[in-house]
Structures are given as C-alpha cells and as structure tokens.
Amino acid sequence: MNARLNFMTSPVAAKAMKHIVAASRALAESTVPASTRELVMLRASQINGCAGCIDMHTKDAAHAGESAVRLNLVVAWREATVFTDAERAALELAEEGTRIADAAGGVSDAVWANAAKYYDDDQLADLVAQIAIINAFNRGNVMIQQPAGDYQPGQHG
C-alpha cells in the first residue's frame, strides 16, 4: 500500500508540514505530562481513523513505558479504571475538540471546566494546541491514505 502522494515533494506543502512538525515539537516543553499528551494524540487519531498516527503514538507511548493495558483501553477510556481523573479530563477535551462538528457549541463549558480543574491556563493552551496539531496531522494522513505499521519508536523525533 502506498500513500496517494508525498507531501514532501511539493515545495509549498513541505514548507507547511515543516511548520506543523515544528509546532508539535515545541509542545515537548509543556508541563502536561508526556504520557497524557500521547494518550490525547492516540485518542484523537482513533476518532479520526488515522492509522499512521495510531501506529506512531501507540509505539512511542509503549517505548516510553506506557502499559499495553492503558494503550488498549484508550478507545474505551470512560469505562476504564486505569486512567487518572486528570487524564480522563484531557481525553474528554480531546474527544470534544476532535468532534467539533458533532456539537453545536464545540467543546462544552462542562468539559472545559472539568479540564480546568486539573490543568492551569498554560497547560490548557498546550492541550488545545496538541489537539489541534494532531487533528491536522490526522486529516492530512487520512486524505492521502498514509499507510501504517512500519513506524519505529522515535523515528520522527
């Protein structure tokens, strides 16, 4: 299976992608735990059906020490007992931020208030940026049908 096209062969698209990658790398400085950010990226990628990002974030999280149980339960986090309240708030924010079109008002006040119980304004900004960036990656990869399965942990970083 091959992708429909290679972003990096288009001068304009390659330049745009480099900026998105740079924005993503800047979030490594966030005080939101890396494990929480990986869970958020994994959940958004699951919702969007982005095989490439699911492959990447599952493998990167496992390589960083995340358990298989938690990774397997991200898709059903509401019923899972293995996530902290803060992680659950971040996952809920990721879901509503990814499914903006499904709700008339986007992210609800209740979901935002719940996330604000666990994250300060800087961390909320970081989470919003993380969710927006992973959704951009997801949408691009889904449109070009980026194949998945061969990713090696740390390959892009």
Side-chain angles (χ1 to χ4, degrees), residues 14-41:
K15 187 175 182 180
M17 288 306 295
K18 286 179 185 178
H19 287 290
I20 295 171
V21 168
S24 181
R25 287 190 176 141
L27 290 167
E29 299 172 23
S30 175
T31 60
V32 175
S35 59
T36 300
R37 288 185 287 110
E38 286 293 340
L39 295 173
V40 161
M41 290 186 287

mmCIF file of all heavy atoms in Angstrom, residues 14-41:
data_model
loop_
_atom_site.group_PDB
_atom_site.id
_atom_site.type_symbol
_atom_site.label_atom_id
_atom_site.label_comp_id
_atom_site.label_asym_id
_atom_site.label_seq_id
_atom_site.Cartn_x
_atom_site.Cartn_y
_atom_site.Cartn_z
ATOM 1 N N ALA A 14 5.421 20.893 1.696
ATOM 2 C CA ALA A 14 6.560 20.525 2.543
ATOM 3 C C ALA A 14 6.880 21.640 3.534
ATOM 4 O O ALA A 14 7.148 21.372 4.713
ATOM 5 C CB ALA A 14 7.783 20.214 1.685
ATOM 6 N N LYS A 15 6.827 22.868 3.071
ATOM 7 C CA LYS A 15 7.086 24.002 3.955
ATOM 8 C C LYS A 15 6.015 24.086 5.049
ATOM 9 O O LYS A 15 6.324 24.276 6.224
ATOM 10 C CB LYS A 15 7.120 25.297 3.143
ATOM 11 C CG LYS A 15 7.532 26.508 3.930
ATOM 12 C CD LYS A 15 7.656 27.724 3.007
ATOM 13 C CE LYS A 15 8.114 28.944 3.777
ATOM 14 N NZ LYS A 15 8.243 30.112 2.879
ATOM 15 N N ALA A 16 4.762 23.898 4.671
ATOM 16 C CA ALA A 16 3.671 23.922 5.648
ATOM 17 C C ALA A 16 3.828 22.792 6.669
ATOM 18 O O ALA A 16 3.669 23.006 7.876
ATOM 19 C CB ALA A 16 2.319 23.819 4.937
ATOM 20 N N MET A 17 4.149 21.594 6.188
ATOM 21 C CA MET A 17 4.312 20.453 7.092
ATOM 22 C C MET A 17 5.474 20.663 8.063
ATOM 23 O O MET A 17 5.392 20.283 9.227
ATOM 24 C CB MET A 17 4.511 19.161 6.303
ATOM 25 C CG MET A 17 3.249 18.667 5.606
ATOM 26 S SD MET A 17 1.834 18.482 6.721
ATOM 27 C CE MET A 17 2.413 17.188 7.776
ATOM 28 N N LYS A 18 6.540 21.285 7.594
ATOM 29 C CA LYS A 18 7.673 21.557 8.486
ATOM 30 C C LYS A 18 7.257 22.480 9.620
ATOM 31 O O LYS A 18 7.716 22.317 10.755
ATOM 32 C CB LYS A 18 8.843 22.151 7.694
ATOM 33 C CG LYS A 18 9.553 21.127 6.844
ATOM 34 C CD LYS A 18 10.683 21.739 6.045
ATOM 35 C CE LYS A 18 11.285 20.694 5.126
ATOM 36 N NZ LYS A 18 12.348 21.226 4.285
ATOM 37 N N HIS A 19 6.366 23.424 9.349
ATOM 38 C CA HIS A 19 5.886 24.315 10.406
ATOM 39 C C HIS A 19 4.993 23.566 11.398
ATOM 40 O O HIS A 19 5.066 23.807 12.611
ATOM 41 C CB HIS A 19 5.142 25.509 9.810
ATOM 42 C CG HIS A 19 6.052 26.503 9.154
ATOM 43 N ND1 HIS A 19 6.921 27.300 9.865
ATOM 44 C CD2 HIS A 19 6.230 26.812 7.848
ATOM 45 C CE1 HIS A 19 7.596 28.066 9.028
ATOM 46 N NE2 HIS A 19 7.203 27.791 7.792
ATOM 47 N N ILE A 20 4.167 22.664 10.891
ATOM 48 C CA ILE A 20 3.311 21.871 11.781
ATOM 49 C C ILE A 20 4.172 20.951 12.651
ATOM 50 O O ILE A 20 3.932 20.809 13.851
ATOM 51 C CB ILE A 20 2.255 21.084 10.979
ATOM 52 C CG1 ILE A 20 1.280 22.052 10.291
ATOM 53 C CG2 ILE A 20 1.484 20.123 11.887
ATOM 54 C CD1 ILE A 20 0.335 21.390 9.308
ATOM 55 N N VAL A 21 5.185 20.348 12.059
ATOM 56 C CA VAL A 21 6.106 19.494 12.821
ATOM 57 C C VAL A 21 6.823 20.320 13.884
ATOM 58 O O VAL A 21 6.956 19.891 15.043
ATOM 59 C CB VAL A 21 7.108 18.788 11.883
ATOM 60 C CG1 VAL A 21 8.238 18.137 12.665
ATOM 61 C CG2 VAL A 21 6.388 17.763 11.018
ATOM 62 N N ALA A 22 7.279 21.523 13.528
ATOM 63 C CA ALA A 22 7.963 22.390 14.497
ATOM 64 C C ALA A 22 7.025 22.767 15.636
ATOM 65 O O ALA A 22 7.426 22.783 16.806
ATOM 66 C CB ALA A 22 8.503 23.637 13.812
ATOM 67 N N ALA A 23 5.777 23.049 15.318
ATOM 68 C CA ALA A 23 4.795 23.373 16.362
ATOM 69 C C ALA A 23 4.595 22.186 17.289
ATOM 70 O O ALA A 23 4.520 22.337 18.514
ATOM 71 C CB ALA A 23 3.467 23.791 15.721
ATOM 72 N N SER A 24 4.535 21.008 16.724
ATOM 73 C CA SER A 24 4.380 19.797 17.527
ATOM 74 C C SER A 24 5.578 19.588 18.446
ATOM 75 O O SER A 24 5.419 19.252 19.628
ATOM 76 C CB SER A 24 4.201 18.591 16.601
ATOM 77 O OG SER A 24 4.016 17.417 17.353
ATOM 78 N N ARG A 25 6.762 19.802 17.937
ATOM 79 C CA ARG A 25 7.977 19.621 18.747
ATOM 80 C C ARG A 25 8.051 20.640 19.880
ATOM 81 O O ARG A 25 8.591 20.344 20.948
ATOM 82 C CB ARG A 25 9.211 19.701 17.863
ATOM 83 C CG ARG A 25 9.362 18.465 17.014
ATOM 84 C CD ARG A 25 10.683 18.392 16.317
ATOM 85 N NE ARG A 25 10.772 17.133 15.594
ATOM 86 C CZ ARG A 25 11.307 17.004 14.407
ATOM 87 N NH1 ARG A 25 11.847 18.040 13.792
ATOM 88 N NH2 ARG A 25 11.337 15.827 13.813
ATOM 89 N N ALA A 26 7.531 21.835 19.661
ATOM 90 C CA ALA A 26 7.534 22.861 20.713
ATOM 91 C C ALA A 26 6.756 22.385 21.937
ATOM 92 O O ALA A 26 7.077 22.759 23.068
ATOM 93 C CB ALA A 26 6.956 24.170 20.187
ATOM 94 N N LEU A 27 5.752 21.537 21.724
ATOM 95 C CA LEU A 27 4.935 21.054 22.833
ATOM 96 C C LEU A 27 5.682 20.094 23.750
ATOM 97 O O LEU A 27 5.204 19.781 24.842
ATOM 98 C CB LEU A 27 3.647 20.430 22.309
ATOM 99 C CG LEU A 27 2.687 21.470 21.719
ATOM 100 C CD1 LEU A 27 1.584 20.791 20.931
ATOM 101 C CD2 LEU A 27 2.127 22.358 22.809
ATOM 102 N N ALA A 28 6.862 19.652 23.364
ATOM 103 C CA ALA A 28 7.690 18.822 24.251
ATOM 104 C C ALA A 28 8.083 19.599 25.502
ATOM 105 O O ALA A 28 8.413 19.005 26.528
ATOM 106 C CB ALA A 28 8.922 18.324 23.518
ATOM 107 N N GLU A 29 8.027 20.927 25.428
ATOM 108 C CA GLU A 29 8.354 21.778 26.572
ATOM 109 C C GLU A 29 7.178 21.963 27.527
ATOM 110 O O GLU A 29 7.320 22.588 28.578
ATOM 111 C CB GLU A 29 8.821 23.142 26.069
ATOM 112 C CG GLU A 29 10.067 23.083 25.217
ATOM 113 C CD GLU A 29 10.403 24.421 24.569
ATOM 114 O OE1 GLU A 29 9.967 25.465 25.076
ATOM 115 O OE2 GLU A 29 11.121 24.400 23.550
ATOM 116 N N SER A 30 6.037 21.416 27.189
ATOM 117 C CA SER A 30 4.838 21.556 28.010
ATOM 118 C C SER A 30 5.007 20.887 29.368
ATOM 119 O O SER A 30 5.712 19.883 29.492
ATOM 120 C CB SER A 30 3.642 20.927 27.287
ATOM 121 O OG SER A 30 2.502 20.944 28.117
ATOM 122 N N THR A 31 4.321 21.430 30.364
ATOM 123 C CA THR A 31 4.296 20.782 31.677
ATOM 124 C C THR A 31 3.184 19.739 31.772
ATOM 125 O O THR A 31 3.058 19.071 32.796
ATOM 126 C CB THR A 31 4.157 21.810 32.814
ATOM 127 O OG1 THR A 31 2.948 22.534 32.642
ATOM 128 C CG2 THR A 31 5.356 22.760 32.842
ATOM 129 N N VAL A 32 2.390 19.603 30.725
ATOM 130 C CA VAL A 32 1.438 18.491 30.664
ATOM 131 C C VAL A 32 2.275 17.229 30.499
ATOM 132 O O VAL A 32 3.156 17.171 29.634
ATOM 133 C CB VAL A 32 0.454 18.650 29.475
ATOM 134 C CG1 VAL A 32 -0.443 17.423 29.348
ATOM 135 C CG2 VAL A 32 -0.384 19.912 29.618
ATOM 136 N N PRO A 33 2.050 16.221 31.324
ATOM 137 C CA PRO A 33 2.873 15.015 31.229
ATOM 138 C C PRO A 33 2.896 14.442 29.811
ATOM 139 O O PRO A 33 1.865 14.405 29.122
ATOM 140 C CB PRO A 33 2.205 14.043 32.201
ATOM 141 C CG PRO A 33 1.502 14.925 33.188
ATOM 142 C CD PRO A 33 1.042 16.121 32.391
ATOM 143 N N ALA A 34 4.075 13.993 29.399
ATOM 144 C CA ALA A 34 4.226 13.415 28.063
ATOM 145 C C ALA A 34 3.269 12.250 27.854
ATOM 146 O O ALA A 34 2.717 12.076 26.771
ATOM 147 C CB ALA A 34 5.669 12.980 27.840
ATOM 148 N N SER A 35 3.058 11.463 28.899
ATOM 149 C CA SER A 35 2.147 10.319 28.772
ATOM 150 C C SER A 35 0.722 10.787 28.484
ATOM 151 O O SER A 35 0.017 10.190 27.675
ATOM 152 C CB SER A 35 2.176 9.450 30.027
ATOM 153 O OG SER A 35 1.806 10.204 31.166
ATOM 154 N N THR A 36 0.306 11.881 29.106
ATOM 155 C CA THR A 36 -1.032 12.421 28.857
ATOM 156 C C THR A 36 -1.131 12.928 27.422
ATOM 157 O O THR A 36 -2.124 12.676 26.734
ATOM 158 C CB THR A 36 -1.353 13.563 29.848
ATOM 159 O OG1 THR A 36 -1.289 13.044 31.176
ATOM 160 C CG2 THR A 36 -2.729 14.156 29.585
ATOM 161 N N ARG A 37 -0.087 13.603 26.957
ATOM 162 C CA ARG A 37 -0.104 14.103 25.587
ATOM 163 C C ARG A 37 -0.168 12.943 24.586
ATOM 164 O O ARG A 37 -0.882 13.019 23.585
ATOM 165 C CB ARG A 37 1.099 15.014 25.330
ATOM 166 C CG ARG A 37 0.947 16.355 26.046
ATOM 167 C CD ARG A 37 2.043 17.358 25.747
ATOM 168 N NE ARG A 37 3.296 16.990 26.390
ATOM 169 C CZ ARG A 37 4.393 16.562 25.761
ATOM 170 N NH1 ARG A 37 4.433 16.480 24.454
ATOM 171 N NH2 ARG A 37 5.469 16.231 26.442
ATOM 172 N N GLU A 38 0.542 11.854 24.858
ATOM 173 C CA GLU A 38 0.480 10.686 23.963
ATOM 174 C C GLU A 38 -0.914 10.076 23.961
ATOM 175 O O GLU A 38 -1.435 9.708 22.904
ATOM 176 C CB GLU A 38 1.514 9.629 24.361
ATOM 177 C CG GLU A 38 2.932 9.968 24.019
ATOM 178 C CD GLU A 38 3.228 10.015 22.521
ATOM 179 O OE1 GLU A 38 2.470 9.441 21.701
ATOM 180 O OE2 GLU A 38 4.236 10.642 22.159
ATOM 181 N N LEU A 39 -1.541 9.977 25.136
ATOM 182 C CA LEU A 39 -2.898 9.427 25.204
ATOM 183 C C LEU A 39 -3.876 10.296 24.418
ATOM 184 O O LEU A 39 -4.749 9.785 23.714
ATOM 185 C CB LEU A 39 -3.352 9.303 26.664
ATOM 186 C CG LEU A 39 -2.579 8.320 27.539
ATOM 187 C CD1 LEU A 39 -3.029 8.430 28.993
ATOM 188 C CD2 LEU A 39 -2.706 6.896 27.030
ATOM 189 N N VAL A 40 -3.733 11.605 24.538
ATOM 190 C CA VAL A 40 -4.592 12.554 23.826
ATOM 191 C C VAL A 40 -4.399 12.384 22.312
ATOM 192 O O VAL A 40 -5.382 12.338 21.552
ATOM 193 C CB VAL A 40 -4.283 13.994 24.290
ATOM 194 C CG1 VAL A 40 -4.772 15.034 23.298
ATOM 195 C CG2 VAL A 40 -4.892 14.243 25.669
ATOM 196 N N MET A 41 -3.148 12.297 21.870
ATOM 197 C CA MET A 41 -2.896 12.142 20.440
ATOM 198 C C MET A 41 -3.422 10.806 19.923
ATOM 199 O O MET A 41 -3.977 10.729 18.825
ATOM 200 C CB MET A 41 -1.408 12.305 20.140
ATOM 201 C CG MET A 41 -0.933 13.735 20.318
ATOM 202 S SD MET A 41 0.771 14.010 19.814
ATOM 203 C CE MET A 41 1.676 13.210 21.150
#
